[in-house]
């Protein structure tokens, strides 16, 4: 990279999902529809406020790649920092102008764009995103808005740490400061709880445009798993496996991994969110591979566990088959009308029964020693996506991912030690049942062994 003294205050590396190259981005009509859906949830005489994410510094002149706030992206399609979006229940009038939403964004700036990439600017937001009441962020400070006139002003509490660029009146720091100055100083009408709930209710039901992107992210992730099952070798490092996986992500057009890839072999298979990925793969290791490509903002999350040498040992197979049976029971419980946690309950029942049969536990409550997480989360713009965790309904996408982890030193026969197994699929709830979106990767012991033994 080239050096520049203001690199870290200019917007971070270019990360525009709104670009001139991709033709399958979410449409302006989709975002507009989501804004209308939110407006219909807002009570009379209310407003809701959203900030774009902050830029996060990695060290000195280098920032982390910018990632937009999922709520901001969902409602606007805007993928740059230093923005604020305000949606009103009713049409507002000011200086002869009428609007029911306002967005303040980074203005075009040829010098900064030369360094970190094109900005959409005010005109781009109007033309491409279709939000007409758009302004440069530096004008937010002087834009007359009196939030004390509303019965309710909804905000999501802001936990972002942000640097102040004192030369920029429109940076995130200034937007927040000037919003506070426009708020009712008594805090009487400020609600910091319900907006998150409203957005969760919207985001937990995926629209067809979202499902297209999510399916693409999941298909890419499945390809990566298949590629690794065919290429993995004893003697490689965990990071070789990670490289094979992420090569597929990138070469298939996924912008990023949706979360750091987990490639945990042997003892590391028992670390739930292991991401060091440095160990040398040994002959008798099982490897937990928990990965998800992110495509245009939507992240997959699929886990497979398999033996590095292509053949399960007797103990590995016994534990693997318990997890698989639990997962199948969990998936079968993913029916519209069932509670969100039905899959967790069904999977847990299987795990308790089978762990008892293997004498790994005697009391049902002891299962937590070996299965210490839930089976499910929603999936979407966040890998652990927003949702209300009530009853399942058409358009929900959730994971089903039971696991059993027996680290060295566990109170059982050492023959079980260092066996960690997790199996995870992504499940779409349909009108009458479910569809497993990630079912093209082998899952049974025989299918995995067959695939790994196939001539390369
Ligand atoms: N894929 C990691 C998790 O769901 O926590
Ligand atoms: Mn998961």
């Amino acid at each position: 990279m080239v050096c520049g003294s203001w690199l870290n205050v200019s917007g971070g590396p270019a990360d525009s999902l709104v670009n001139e190259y991709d033709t399958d981005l979410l449409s302006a009509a989709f975002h507009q529809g989501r804004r209308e859906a939110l407006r219909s949830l807002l009570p009379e005489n209310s407003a809701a406020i959203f900030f774009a994410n902050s830029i996060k510094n990695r060290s000195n002149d280098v920032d982390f790649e910018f990632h937009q706030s999922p709520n901001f992206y969902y409602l606007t399609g805007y993928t740059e920092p230093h923005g604020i979006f305000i949606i009103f229940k009713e049409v507002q009038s000011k200086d002869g102008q009428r609007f029911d939403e306002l967005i303040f964004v980074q203005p075009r700036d040829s010098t900064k764009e030369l360094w970190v990439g094109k900005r959409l600017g005010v005109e781009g937001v109007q033309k491409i995103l279709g939000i007409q009441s758009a302004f440069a962020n530096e004008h937010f400070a002087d834009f007359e808005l009196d939030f004390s006139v509303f019965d309710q002003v909804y905000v999501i509490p802001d936990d972002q740490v942000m640097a102040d660029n004192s030369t920029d009146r429109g940076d995130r720091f200034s937007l927040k400061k000037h919003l506070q100055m426009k708020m009712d100083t008594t805090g009487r009408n400020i609600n910091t709880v319900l907006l998150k709930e409203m957005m969760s209710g919207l985001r937990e039901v995926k629209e067809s445009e979202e499902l297209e992107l999510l399916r693409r992210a999941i298909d890419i992730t499945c390809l990566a798993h298949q590629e690794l099952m065919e290429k993995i070798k004893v003697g490689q490092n965990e990071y070789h496996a990670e490289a094979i996986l992420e090569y597929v992500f990138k070469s298939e057009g996924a912008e990023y991994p949706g979360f750091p890839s987990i490639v945990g072999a042997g003892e590391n298979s028992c670390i739930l969110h292991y991401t060091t990925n440095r160990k040398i793969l040994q002959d008798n290791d099982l490897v937990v591979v928990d990965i998800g490509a992110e495509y245009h903002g939507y992240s997959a999350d699929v886990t497979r566990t398999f033996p590095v040498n292509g053949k399960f040992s007797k103990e590995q197979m016994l534990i693997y088959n318990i997890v698989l049976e639990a997962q199948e029971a969990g998936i079968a419980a993913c029916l519209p009308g069932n509670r969100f946690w039905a899959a967790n309950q069904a999977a847990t029942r299987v795990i308790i029964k089978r762990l008892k049969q293997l004498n790994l536990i005697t009391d049902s409550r002891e299962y937590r020693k070996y299965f210490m997480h839930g089976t499910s989360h929603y999936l979407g713009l966040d890998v652990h996506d927003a949702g209300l965790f009530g009853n399942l309904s058409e358009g929900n996408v959730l994971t089903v991912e039971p696991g059993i982890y027996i680290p060295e030193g566990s109170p059982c026969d050492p023959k079980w030690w260092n066996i960690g197994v997790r199996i995870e699929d992504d499940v779409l709830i349909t009108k009458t049942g479910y569809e497993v979106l990630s079912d093209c990767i082998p899952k049974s012991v025989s299918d995995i062994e067959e695939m790994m033994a196939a001539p390369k």
Side-chain angles (χ1 to χ4, degrees), residues 31 35 71-79 85 103 129 131:
H31 299 295
R35 296 197 294 278
N71 284 335
F72 207 94
Y73 177 57
Y74 185 80
L75 293 171
T76 68
Y78 188 65
T79 57
F85 172 68
I103 190 165
L129 301 182
I131 306 176

Side-chain angles (χ1 to χ4, degrees), residues 232 238 263-270 279 281-289 304-313 315-320 404 416-422 448 452:
I232 198 165
E238 292 163 333
V263 182
E267 65 275 20
N268 299 327
S269 66
C270 299
K279 178 187 136 94
L281 304 172
Q282 307 293 328
D283 190 31
N284 54 352
D285 283 346
L286 266 189
V287 60
V288 169
V289 180
R304 289 293 183 265
T305 301
F306 47 90
V308 169
N309 65 12
K311 195 98 188 105
F312 285 85
S313 72
E315 286 75 24
Q316 289 170 348
M317 194 187 310
L318 281 166
I319 299 298
Y320 186 90
I404 294 178
W416 302 112
W417 288 358
N418 293 328
I419 295 180
V421 175
R422 179 162 64 252
I448 289 175
M452 294 183 75

Side-chain angles (χ1 to χ4, degrees), residues 424-443:
E424 175 177 30
D425 281 298
D426 302 339
V427 179
L428 167 67
I429 305 298
T430 62
K431 201 191 278 282
T432 53
Y434 62 82
E435 179 186 347
V436 180
L437 301 177
S438 48
D439 69 354
C440 58
I441 329 166
K443 212 158 57 167

Side-chain angles (χ1 to χ4, degrees), residues 216-450:
R216 180 83 188 110
I218 293 167
D219 287 349
I220 293 170
T221 305
C222 291
L223 271 180
H225 269 296
Q226 282 168 2
E227 184 78 3
L228 182 62
M229 279 188 198
E230 286 170 8
K231 297 240 163 86
I232 198 165
K233 279 199 198 87
V234 172
Q236 290 174 327
N237 295 71
E238 292 163 333
Y239 56 74
H240 286 123
E242 185 179 18
I244 291 168
L245 296 161
E246 294 187 13
Y247 177 83
V248 176
F249 288 4
K250 286 277 182 190
S251 53
E252 291 295 321
E255 288 91 341
Y256 323 96
F259 54 92
S261 298
I262 297 168
V263 182
E267 65 275 20
N268 299 327
S269 66
C270 299
I271 302 172
L272 304 185
H273 281 179
Y274 173 80
T275 56
T276 314
N277 299 354
R278 306 298 299 175
K279 178 187 136 94
I280 296 174
L281 304 172
Q282 307 293 328
D283 190 31
N284 54 352
D285 283 346
L286 266 189
V287 60
V288 169
V289 180
D290 182 345
I291 54 166
E294 181 180 311
Y295 189 78
H296 298 352
Y298 288 82
S299 182
D301 187 7
V302 183
T303 307
R304 289 293 183 265
T305 301
F306 47 90
V308 169
N309 65 12
K311 195 98 188 105
F312 285 85
S313 72
K314 184 171 157 232
E315 286 75 24
Q316 289 170 348
M317 194 187 310
L318 281 166
I319 299 298
Y320 186 90
N321 280 333
I322 296 176
V323 178
L324 184 57
E325 185 186 342
Q327 204 229 10
E328 283 168 349
I331 290 174
C334 289
L335 300 173
N338 275 1
R339 304 288 300 162
F340 178 87
W341 292 113
N344 192 62
Q345 283 165 357
T348 303
R349 273 196 292 274
V350 172
I351 287 179
I352 290 173
K353 183 169 121 192
R354 297 296 184 206
L355 287 181
K356 279 184 177 171
Q357 284 173 350
L358 289 183
N359 290 323
L360 277 158
I361 60 172
T362 46
D363 185 289
S364 297
R365 285 165 302 184
E366 288 176 287
Y367 84 88
R368 275 273 161 213
K369 235 182 347 215
Y370 300 119
F371 172 37
M372 56 294 273
H373 58 82
T375 57
S376 301
H377 53 81
Y378 295 100
L379 196 64
L381 286 172
D382 277 305
V383 63
H384 290 188
D385 206 33
L388 294 173
F389 300 93
N391 285 352
L392 295 172
S393 65
E394 186 181 358
N396 293 162
V397 180
L398 70 157
T399 63
V400 181
E401 50 174 313
I404 294 178
Y405 314 89
I406 315 177
E408 189 168 338
S410 297
C412 59
D413 188 323
K415 70 180 180 182
W416 302 112
W417 288 358
N418 293 328
I419 295 180
V421 175
R422 179 162 64 252
I423 308 172
E424 175 177 30
D425 281 298
D426 302 339
V427 179
L428 167 67
I429 305 298
T430 62
K431 201 191 278 282
T432 53
Y434 62 82
E435 179 186 347
V436 180
L437 301 177
S438 48
D439 69 354
C440 58
I441 329 166
K443 212 158 57 167
S444 71
V445 164
S446 57
D447 285 353
I448 289 175
E449 288 187 345
E450 194 181 318

Side-chain angles (χ1 to χ4, degrees), residues 85-103:
F85 172 68
I86 305 164
I87 180 167
F88 303 93
K89 176 72 175 185
E90 294 90 4
V91 175
Q92 310 290 306
S93 295
K94 183 179 163 311
D95 304 332
Q97 307 268 24
R98 288 165 59 77
F99 52 84
D100 58 6
E101 56 195 19
L102 290 170
I103 190 165

